[in-house]
Amino acid sequence: MDKFFTAVRLDEDLCKGCINCIKRCPTQAIRVRNGKAVITKKFCIDCGECIRICPHHAKLAVYDSLDVMNDYEYTVALPAPSLYGQFNNLEDINIVLTALKRLGFDDVYEVSGAAELASELSRKYVKDHPEKWPLISTACPSVVRLIRARFPNLIEHLLPIKAPVDIAAAIARKRAMKATGLPSEKIGIIFISPCAAKVSAVKTPLGYEKSDVDAVVAIKDVYPRLLNFMKDIEENQEIEDLTISGKIGISWGGSGGEAGGLLTDSYLAADGIENVIRVLEDLEDQKIPALEFIELNACNGGCVGGVLTVENPFVAKVKLKRLRKYQPVARNHIKKEEIQDPFWTGGVQYEPVFNLGSDIKESIEMMAKVEELCDKFPGLDCGSCGAPTCKALAEDVVRGVASEKDCIHILRQYIHKISDEISTLDSHHTVMPEERNKD
Amino acid sequence: MLNDELHLSYQILGDDFTRAGEASSDVKHKLKMMGISPETVRRVAIAMYEGEINMVIHADGGTIDVIISPSEVKLILKDKGPGIADIELAMQEGYSTAPDNIRSLGFGAGMGLSNMKKYTDEMDIETELGVGTTVTMTIKI
Ligand SMILES: Nc1ncnc2c1ncn2[C@@H]1O[C@H](COP(=O)(O)OP(=O)(O)OP(=O)(O)O)[C@@H](O)[C@H]1O
Ligand code: SF4
Ligand code: SF4
Ligand SMILES: [Mg+2]
């Protein structure tokens, strides 16, 4: 699988080339070329900003449809904790979990249950590794992808523990195999996801070889179908006792939840991709005071702000908080022998995708040209050329993927120059006969 | 301008704490895009940031010239500030003349100059009281 796989796509028919997305992309991965948005895959970190901003709904995420259930003999749903924040007046998580079974899943296994294990492991890891402080959370795949491309100096701070969904998937698969006697390939472990980044993370995980998740479906697709079942289940009091998570696990659905589970005050939690970038820049420049842990989530509010959710992230956070009231602090339903490799098995490699040249010498020459072009361009960052800023166009020109004359201001000057030349030629022609007359 | 050198120039404003650090941040971005090793980028960024902040706090701004060649990064920070009376003293860890209001912003630990020395291969300070200070730092690539 391509290590730069991303889950964001363009619907060409809907794209108007309006440049809204190119301005919003935090890694400047998008250009408008020939009137349509184009994403440079290796720059994209799956943050979903372009999906949120596009007024024409031309940007979309690829994920599995619910029909994927039919591909397996036995299926287990792994609901993300953010799912619980989508419902009004939910008092018992078991209603949602029972509804998932009605929807067709054979079993459910809460990601928030595995999150509690992740919290426990993280607590110990952070305590045992002061030389790596601050450890940076790795549960948000967009953040890890951002760090691997832009913050090579921070890679060593990444917390080498698998994301809760992957820990959950491994346990769920083992349980399902044991319960049914079916071989692994007949079992479908299906994640109900708040975001597109998880689609890429499942296909190409960072830090480990393979994810146990077989398919990723969207909260927004599951949500409307659950509502009917939930009403019925509650009315008829047919609630099954399925939940395995407490306050700590559920809190992972919103920003600050993961850090909260570490039971230390020495942390910072930032959410929203622009804020995440600011924190990483400051951390790299050693402007952040000593901390043990840094939690970063690309989406506003944390996972509840993912592009595949339905509820306003801040409202969803309130709902999660309310729901937590009914839960114990933590539950420990996972037996030691069930846990398999919760730690990363490999490292994350720096991917210098933004490099200009192939070596320093060439890069110096190219950067000098970028500077020269920036002086020439008007500095309006108007976006008419299809690049988000004049500087980005300058880099594109130097990289050989755009032309100076893509800048309408340069083009205008050029046309003026040509038309001036033509009119001098013209006046030459008209003057000549008059001059001849004088003779 | 030599073809294998890149010159960058920045104006630094005095007492402007919201913009302080912009120049070093810009240099950091550019160096990263030029394939310079992450460790070198980190050293340049920290040394330049400390120097930039010193100009903002102690010298009412100035100019920073950055010269990048395939073998080294040279930083020249020039100001028309009050100058440094005793360089040896100023270089000592913990020595600072920063007033309380600056300390409350988290500066003034007296670590700037010693960090600049620590993270660079060469550092030279020329200073004259009432005239100004020029700090030149070189980081080998
Ligand atoms: N460019 C400058 N012009 C005038 N005085 C300076 C300049 N740079 C440093 N100094 C003097 O040297 C002292 C020590 O500088 P240094 O950068 O080591 O510490 P600081 O700036 O006071 O605190 P910190 O850098 O830890 O925030 C300063 O307090 C100041 O008196
Ligand atoms: S925001 Fe981007 S994807 Fe959407 S229509 Fe405009 S250019 Fe196309
Ligand atoms: S998902 Fe994010 S990084 Fe990728 S193209 Fe869209 S805005 Fe840019
Ligand atoms: Mg200082």
Side-chain angles (χ1 to χ4, degrees), chain B residues 59 61-62 78-83 130-133:
Chain B
K78 200 175 278 184
D79 69 58
K80 297 195 174 103
V131 179
T133 303

Side-chain angles (χ1 to χ4, degrees), chain A residues 385-434:
Chain A
C385 58
T389 61
C390 295
K391 190 164 159 266
L393 177 64
E395 289 166 14
D396 287 353
V397 173
V398 171
R399 285 192 161 109
V401 294
S403 148
E404 224 175 286
K405 291 193 197 80
D406 287 342
C407 170
I408 54 166
H409 306 275
I410 299 271
L411 183 66
R412 196 188 290 148
Q413 279 171 20
Y414 177 75
I415 290 170
H416 273 304
K417 203 176 131 232
I418 291 183
S419 68
D420 280 352
E421 275 169 19
I422 291 171
S423 60
T424 2
L425 277 180
D426 267 2
S427 57
H428 238 67
H429 280 295
T430 45
V431 169
M432 295 251 281
E434 281 167 23

Side-chain angles (χ1 to χ4, degrees), chain B residues 50 53-54 58 111-113:
Chain B
E50 291 290 359
I53 293 289
N54 277 358
H58 307 297
M111 292 302 292
L113 287 171

Side-chain angles (χ1 to χ4, degrees), chain A residues 21-305:
Chain A
C21 59
I22 64 171
K23 290 270 180 189
R24 181 66 75 95
C25 174
T27 56
Q28 302 197 325
I30 317 171
R31 300 291 183 268
V32 171
R33 293 203 208 288
N34 304 319
K36 302 289 172 193
V38 183
I39 301 177
T40 301
K41 282 201 162 290
K42 61 179 182 178
F43 296 165
C44 173
I45 55 166
D46 272 324
C47 68
E49 285 296 301
C50 56
I51 298 177
R52 287 186 188 92
I53 189 81
C54 178
H56 308 289
H57 307 290
K59 282 272 166 56
L60 33 102
V62 285
Y63 49 84
D64 297 294
S65 89
L66 262 174
D67 297 336
V68 77
M69 274 196 276
N70 305 327
D71 295 352
Y72 302 92
E73 218 158 284
Y74 187 87
T75 54
V76 186
L78 304 186
S82 42
L83 173 68
Y84 314 142
Q86 310 297 310
F87 306 98
N88 288 325
N89 309 316
L90 179 68
E91 286 181 9
D92 186 353
I93 290 174
N94 282 317
I95 299 170
V96 180
L97 303 179
T98 309
L100 280 168
K101 285 182 79 174
R102 288 272 180 95
L103 188 60
F105 290 101
D106 295 297
D107 199 4
V108 291
Y109 191 86
E110 291 181 276
V111 172
S112 42
E116 281 172 13
L117 173 68
S119 286
E120 210 182 301
L121 295 169
S122 305
R123 222 174 289 150
K124 183 162 171 11
Y125 190 92
V126 171
K127 203 163 152 265
D128 291 348
H129 292 86
E131 78 286 355
K132 289 193 181 179
W133 287 355
L135 279 144
I136 302 172
S137 61
T138 48
C140 174
S142 278
V143 170
V144 183
R145 274 165 170 72
L146 176 70
I147 291 175
R148 95 167 157 170
R150 267 183 59 177
F151 299 95
N153 284 314
L154 301 178
I155 289 176
E156 62 188 7
H157 292 280
L158 292 173
L159 180 70
I161 292 178
K162 288 183 184 175
V165 58
D166 283 315
I167 297 178
I171 297 171
R173 177 177 305 283
K174 212 172 167 189
R175 281 194 182 180
M177 284 168 71
K178 206 170 154 201
T180 62
L182 287 169
S184 177
E185 65 275 12
K186 300 236 153 121
I187 292 164
I189 306 294
I190 299 170
F191 180 41
I192 300 169
S193 174
C195 76
K198 286 287 183 196
V199 176
S200 305
V202 159
K203 288 206 158 64
T204 56
L206 291 179
Y208 39 105
E209 269 299 305
K210 199 184 164 306
S211 164
D212 261 299
V213 176
D214 295 305
V216 179
V217 299
I219 284 182
K220 66 173 182 177
D221 286 358
V222 176
Y223 170 82
R225 302 186 51 185
L226 287 181
L227 288 176
N228 291 332
F229 292 121
M230 286 169 66
K231 204 163 156 244
D232 188 58
I233 291 163
E234 205 177 357
E235 272 169 16
N236 299 316
Q237 284 298 306
E238 290 166 346
I239 309 167
E240 287 183 59
D241 187 11
L242 298 165
T243 183
I244 54 164
S245 53
K247 282 191 174 67
I248 288 181
I250 293 167
S251 302
W252 276 67
S255 71
E258 180 185 359
L262 293 177
L263 314 176
T264 168
D265 285 337
S266 181
Y267 76 86
L268 162 168
D271 55 308
I273 193 69
E274 290 302 332
N275 298 324
V276 165
I277 292 172
R278 267 184 73 179
V279 168
L280 292 172
E281 292 283 359
D282 284 354
L283 186 62
E284 190 178 52
D285 297 346
Q286 305 193 342
K287 288 183 212 161
I288 290 183
L291 292 173
E292 289 175 24
F293 188 71
I294 295 194
E295 179 190 317
L296 300 171
N297 290 288
C299 295
N300 284 322
C303 295
V304 284

Side-chain angles (χ1 to χ4, degrees), chain A residues 341-395:
Chain A
D341 306 333
F343 290 97
W344 282 9
T345 48
V348 169
Q349 285 302 314
Y350 173 36
E351 298 291 350
V353 292
F354 298 105
N355 277 12
L356 278 180
S358 51
D359 60 22
I360 296 178
K361 197 168 173 297
E362 189 188 23
S363 295
I364 288 176
E365 277 168 27
M366 289 170 82
M367 187 59 86
K369 278 190 205 135
V370 170
E371 291 292 295
E372 223 173 90
L373 281 170
C374 282
D375 286 342
K376 213 163 150 188
F377 292 146
L380 296 172
D381 295 343
C382 68
S384 306
C385 58
T389 61
C390 295
K391 190 164 159 266
L393 177 64
E395 289 166 14

Side-chain angles (χ1 to χ4, degrees), chain B residues 3-72:
Chain B
N3 230 358
D4 60 353
E5 273 185 6
L6 173 66
H7 291 231
L8 303 167
S9 216
Y10 301 89
Q11 289 291 326
I12 310 300
L13 298 179
D15 289 320
D16 187 338
F17 290 97
T18 36
R19 290 183 53 181
E22 272 184 10
S24 27
S25 170
D26 188 60
V27 169
K28 185 177 82 174
H29 279 132
K30 292 200 160 96
L31 292 178
K32 275 190 195 171
M33 286 177 69
M34 290 160 70
I36 289 167
S37 81
E39 181 52 24
T40 308
V41 175
R42 197 173 75 95
R43 290 168 60 205
V44 174
I46 294 171
M48 179 165 166
Y49 176 71
E50 291 290 359
E52 185 180 348
I53 293 289
N54 277 358
M55 290 170 94
V56 174
I57 296 177
H58 307 297
D60 199 26
T63 58
I64 302 182
D65 284 296
V66 182
I67 303 160
I68 304 157
S69 77
S71 59
E72 63 179 35

